């Protein structure tokens, strides 16, 4: 494999990890857990994996002899920086337990398990990928593990390879599946444990026990670097407004973190928009007001950050999307038969009156984007909806009305961007390299402790890494019931931006100033070598949450 000079140096980086994992490890059982909501129903669905104890690992004194163990690993869902380090931490961890242990990687996500596609991850392979971005060591995919036949197909190959534990590295939906699989194998006494690992750049897989999902740190730093560059460009040319949509699916964590890093002129936060019951017209007017305020002072430039999932949080759109989801899941076959040119009018006739009026009022591109295939978990693929273009166009119309009315004297020209894929496979920051390696190592200790239905957890990560706390959290603890594909299903509760929380409130205190003034910050690229104050800082979100 050809490598850049940075890759060669970076390969030598030894990730930092909690002191408790370095030598002999002792397991400490904590208190029993309960699910975040819908307790009775979740307990009924997960009789074997509900109510388990929290776990922490501490330094021990008693050396235990572990037998060799074969472990499988799956990368599931969207890529996130650091996945390769979870695998290298897991590999090193199981080799420390017993040098004869083996690690198998299933290819292209959960599908690899069902289709029996795998490779053995040897030292040579793992060494090639240490501290690198991407998931290409084994690939990833979004196949949903939900049917007993899939679990049975999986068991066939796990038995054939004598695999006793499977680690699923994924977001909320993939970890939900990990838990369902853990429950199924436990119920049937198959002797195969399943452990989850919190991944997603979206930052929405977090709770009291999982303080962040890996990849969020690096992805936000990459986007902030590029937004900073754009801000410097727009402050130099002084002629464009940049409408920048940022990945993150439902939650606005990425947009908010980037705002805290770069001080844009405006950042929409979907959760606030929902709480204030805002309409699309309110949002457009708010943006236009900031453009006008700056334009009237001769500043015809600026930046607007837009969270990817915005549209689903505008109450009227949320109702429309809900009705579309139900309709499309019940009438998928019929809808696919309709000619493309007739799809919009077909849908318009099928919707309730209110939703039909809204749907018919949308630009054709957006109307089409709203009916595209849902992902395998039933989510609208918000990354395909061009909200940044929709908003830029609507703001232009609003400003020309205001100009005619004499309320606006500036010039408006917009550029639109969507940052998502650019950051998902970046080489992990030191934070993600360390955090991921520690998560993988923690997973190996959960395997050693014969645990199933747990997610690896590493907390207190704003402290120096040797003080981080490693442990395990029962996945059922994070679950509630939600409507998916027209039915109530157990799923891990997504963490949205907390409007009472410190990150949002810090943003709130500064945003008027950032709108009016040009107070941009240019964070520059991620640094891997140099002072710790530059190289090892976690996200502003985490620093504020833990301050
Ligand atoms: P995960 O939740 O699986 O980590 O994926 C996150 C994400 O990057 C979202 O931010 C984005 O909406 C989605 O994946 C895009 O999916 P795809 O890679 O299938 O285009």
């Amino acid at each position: 494999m050809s490598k850049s000079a940075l890759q060669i140096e970076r390969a030598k980086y030894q990730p930092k990890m909690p002191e408790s994992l370095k030598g002999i490890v002792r397991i400490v059982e904590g208190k029993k857990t309960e699910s975040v909501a819908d307790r009775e129903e979740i307990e009924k669905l997960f009789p074997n994996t509900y109510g388990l104890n929290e776990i922490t690992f501490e330094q021990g004194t008693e050396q235990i002899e572990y037998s060799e163990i074969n472990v499988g690993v799956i990368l599931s869902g969207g890529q996130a920086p650091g996945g390769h380090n979870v695998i290298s931490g897991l590999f090193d961890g199981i080799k420390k337990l017993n040098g004869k242990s083996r690690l198998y990687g299933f290819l292209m996500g959960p599908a690899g398990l069902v289709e029996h596609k795998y490779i053995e991850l040897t030292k040579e392979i793992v060494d090639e990928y240490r501290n690198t971005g991407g998931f290409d060591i084994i690939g990833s995919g979004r196949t949903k593990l939900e049917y007993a036949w899939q679990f049975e197909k999986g068991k066939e190959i796990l038995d054939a390879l004598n695999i006793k534990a499977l680690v699923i590295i994924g977001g909320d939906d993939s970890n939900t599946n990990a838990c369902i699989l853990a429950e199924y194998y436990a119920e049937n006494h198959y002797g195969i444990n399943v452990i989850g690992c919190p991944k997603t750049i979206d930052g929405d897989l977090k709770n009291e026990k999982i303080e962040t999902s890996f990849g969020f740190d690096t992805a936000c730093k990459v986007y902030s670097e590029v937004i900073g560059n754009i801000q410097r460009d727009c402050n130099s040319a002084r002629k464009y407004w940049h409408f920048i949509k940022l990945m993150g699916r439902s939650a606005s964590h990425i947009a908010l973190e980037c705002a805290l890093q770069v001080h844009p002129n405006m950042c929409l936060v979907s959760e606030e928009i929902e709480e204030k019951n805002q309409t699309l017209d309110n949002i457009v007017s708010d943006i236009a007001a900031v453009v006008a305020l700056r334009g009237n002072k001769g500043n015809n430039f600026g930046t607007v950050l837009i969270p990817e999932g915005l549209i689903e949080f505008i109450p009227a759109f949320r109702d429309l999307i809900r009705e579309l989801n139900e309709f499309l899941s019940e009438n998928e076959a019929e809808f696919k038969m309709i000619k493309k040119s007739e799809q919009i009018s077909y849908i318009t006739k099928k919707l309730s009156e209110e939703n039909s009026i809204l749907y018919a009022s949308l630009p054709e591109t957006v109307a089409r984007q709203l009916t595209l295939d849902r992902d395998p978990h039933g989510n609208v693929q918000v990354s395909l909806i061009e909200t940044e273009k929709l908003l830029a166009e609507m703001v232009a119309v609003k400003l020309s009305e205001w100009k005619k009315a004499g309320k606006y004297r500036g010039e408006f020209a917009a550029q639109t961007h969507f940052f998502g894929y650019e950051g998902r496979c970046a080489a992990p920051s030191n934070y993600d390299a360390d955090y991921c390696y520690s998560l993988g190592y923690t997973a190996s200790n959960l395997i050693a402790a014969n645990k199933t239905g747990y997610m690896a957890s590493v907390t207190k990560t704003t402290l120096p890494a040797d003080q981080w706390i490693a442990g395990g959290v029962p996945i059922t603890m994070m679950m509630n019931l939600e409507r998916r594909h027209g039915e109530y299903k157990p799923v891990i509760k997504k963490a949205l931006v907390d409007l009472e929380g410190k990150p949002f409130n810090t943003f709130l205190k500064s945003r008027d100033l950032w709108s009016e003034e040009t107070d941009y910050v240019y964070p520059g690229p991620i640094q891997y070598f140099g002072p710790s104050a530059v190289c090892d800082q976690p996200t502003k979100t985490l620093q504020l949450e833990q301050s």
Side-chain angles (χ1 to χ4, degrees):
M1 212 192 275
S2 312
K3 285 192 180 130
S4 69
L6 176 61
Q7 274 176 298
I8 293 166
E9 282 309 310
R10 190 64 181 155
K12 298 176 196 159
Y13 179 73
Q14 180 53 48
K16 303 185 272 304
M17 68 169 174
E19 201 57 43
S20 61
L21 297 181
K22 289 181 189 162
I24 299 173
V25 178
R26 184 169 74 93
I27 177 166
V28 179
E29 298 271 347
K31 54 179 190 319
K32 287 214 165 307
T33 56
E34 295 214 81
S35 62
V36 283
D38 308 307
R39 292 185 178 156
E40 256 176 55
E41 294 86 341
I42 304 286
E43 184 168 10
K44 252 187 235 151
L45 291 165
F46 296 90
N48 298 282
T49 49
Y50 188 85
L52 302 174
N53 299 339
E54 284 172 25
I55 281 172
T56 45
F57 293 116
E58 290 184 3
Q59 276 180 314
T61 46
E62 207 183 312
Q63 185 78 54
I64 301 176
E65 295 290 315
Y66 289 100
S67 333
E68 61 190 87
I69 184 165
N70 290 356
V71 173
V73 64
I74 295 176
L75 288 164
S76 180
Q79 286 70 252
H84 291 158
N85 272 27
V86 179
I87 292 182
S88 54
L90 177 63
F91 179 85
D92 293 350
I94 62 167
K95 289 286 184 191
K96 186 179 130 192
L97 295 174
N98 185 310
K100 290 190 183 144
S101 297
R102 287 165 178 251
L103 183 62
Y104 293 92
F106 290 96
L107 303 178
M108 303 310 293
L113 178 71
V114 180
E115 293 164 10
H116 299 183
K117 294 188 178 143
Y118 66 91
I119 52 165
E120 181 176 352
L121 292 166
T122 58
K123 181 172 178 334
E124 292 64 41
I125 298 177
V126 172
D127 284 351
E128 275 289 303
Y129 287 90
R130 287 178 193 267
N131 308 312
T132 58
F135 277 6
D136 42 320
I137 187 169
I138 47 175
S140 185
R142 289 198 185 276
T143 299
K144 187 168 162 56
L145 290 177
E146 55 182 338
Y147 302 113
W149 70 264
Q150 294 173 309
F151 305 159
E152 290 295 334
K153 283 303 277 181
K155 180 183 183 292
E156 278 172 25
I157 189 67
L158 295 170
D159 282 347
L161 296 170
N162 194 26
I163 289 176
K164 297 291 176 213
L166 181 65
V167 177
I168 300 185
I169 302 170
D172 51 345
D173 287 325
S174 309
N175 275 287
T176 297
N177 297 346
C179 194
I180 293 171
L181 189 63
E183 177 63 34
Y184 183 88
Y185 286 167
E187 176 69 26
N188 290 292
H189 307 288
Y190 284 171
I192 302 166
N193 292 342
V194 184
I195 301 294
C197 193
K199 168 235 71 168
T200 179
I201 60 161
D202 300 353
D204 57 4
L205 174 45
K206 66 172 172 181
N207 50 56
E208 227 187 291
K209 305 288 165 193
I210 302 291
E211 59 191 31
T212 188
S213 53
F214 79 76
F216 175 67
D217 183 87
T218 310
C220 289
K221 284 175 178 156
V222 172
Y223 304 141
S224 296
E225 179 204 346
V226 184
I227 300 165
N229 295 348
I230 287 178
Q231 293 193 149
R232 207 142 216 172
D233 189 287
C234 84
N235 198 13
S236 307
R238 299 180 166 241
K239 61 176 182 180
Y240 291 129
W241 270 87
H242 292 267
F243 285 65
I244 305 167
K245 184 174 78 169
L246 291 159
M247 234 183 207
R249 211 192 283 279
S250 301
S252 309
H253 298 293
I254 292 184
L256 179 59
E257 170 63 24
C258 292
L260 292 167
Q261 291 195 28
V262 304
H263 303 184
N265 298 106
M266 200 157 181
C267 172
L268 304 177
V269 174
S270 307
E271 292 81 347
E272 183 189 21
I273 283 163
E274 181 175 48
E275 178 161 289
K276 290 189 170 162
N277 213 358
Q278 284 194 302
T279 61
L280 185 56
D281 187 57
N282 296 148
I283 298 168
V284 169
S285 299
D286 286 353
I287 303 174
V290 172
V291 175
L293 178 76
R294 291 175 64 80
N296 290 346
K297 290 203 259 170
N299 292 327
N300 292 306
F301 63 94
T303 45
V304 184
L305 306 189
I306 303 157
E308 184 182 60
L310 173 72
I311 204 127
E312 287 188 292
F313 284 77
I314 303 171
F317 276 88
R318 191 191 44 221
D319 294 344
L320 168 65
I321 291 171
R322 199 173 287 154
E323 194 178 347
L324 279 172
N325 283 349
E326 302 258 329
F327 177 78
L328 292 170
S329 90
E330 281 158 23
N331 302 281
E332 197 185 347
E334 187 182 322
F335 180 66
K336 291 223 157 109
M337 305 288 287
I338 307 286
K339 272 202 241 145
K340 208 173 165 204
S341 57
E342 289 164 17
Q343 282 175 346
I344 294 181
S345 63
Y346 165 84
I347 293 270
T348 311
K349 281 187 218 127
K350 300 284 179 181
L351 292 172
S352 61
E353 198 185 339
E354 213 173 316
N355 286 337
S356 153
I357 295 170
L358 174 61
Y359 189 72
S361 73
L362 295 173
E364 193 186 323
T365 42
V366 176
R368 267 192 203 298
Q369 286 156 4
L370 283 174
T371 61
L372 292 174
D373 282 347
R374 273 48 185 157
D375 78 4
H377 302 276
N379 305 310
V380 177
Q381 299 194 59
V382 277
S383 60
L384 304 178
I385 301 172
E386 294 176 321
T387 17
E388 69 285 18
K389 292 198 178 138
L390 177 72
L391 289 175
E393 279 167 27
M394 292 180 77
V395 167
V397 172
K398 176 89 41 190
L399 287 169
S400 67
E401 285 165 13
W402 288 0
K403 206 165 206 173
K404 277 187 210 136
K407 287 203 274 178
Y408 170 56
R409 300 183 300 279
E411 297 300 325
F412 178 73
Q415 298 285 352
T416 56
H417 314 264
F418 170 37
F419 298 144
Y421 301 100
E422 295 81 347
R424 292 201 315 186
C425 281
S429 60
N430 281 358
Y431 176 87
D432 271 328
D434 300 344
Y435 181 51
C436 290
Y437 187 81
S438 302
L439 283 171
Y441 221 92
T442 303
S444 74
N445 282 286
L446 289 167
I447 293 168
N450 195 22
K451 296 292 173 188
T452 194
Y454 276 79
M455 190 184 288
S457 91
V458 174
T459 54
K460 303 271 183 250
T461 62
T462 52
L463 297 175
D466 54 358
Q467 295 170 41
W468 293 358
I469 295 179
V473 186
I475 302 177
T476 49
M477 184 183 176
M478 305 169 202
M479 287 200 175
N480 69 161
L481 293 180
E482 283 175 25
R483 224 165 150 72
R484 298 285 174 92
H485 289 301
E487 275 178 65
Y488 279 102
K489 295 262 168 91
V491 289
I492 292 177
K493 194 171 162 52
K494 262 191 206 309
L496 300 178
V497 166
D498 175 7
L499 299 180
E500 303 297 320
K502 283 193 189 160
F504 181 72
N505 279 291
T506 305
F507 163 70
L508 211 56
K509 280 188 203 131
S510 304
R511 73 170 163 197
D512 289 346
L513 176 90
W514 297 346
S515 294
E516 225 176 317
E517 306 294 324
T518 303
D519 183 38
Y520 300 149
V521 176
Y522 313 114
I526 293 176
Q527 301 295 311
Y528 302 101
F529 308 100
S532 183
V534 179
C535 302
D536 296 328
Q537 291 308 304
T539 54
K540 304 256 179 222
T541 303
L542 202 54
Q543 292 183 46
L544 288 163
E545 281 171 348
Q546 298 202 356
S547 65

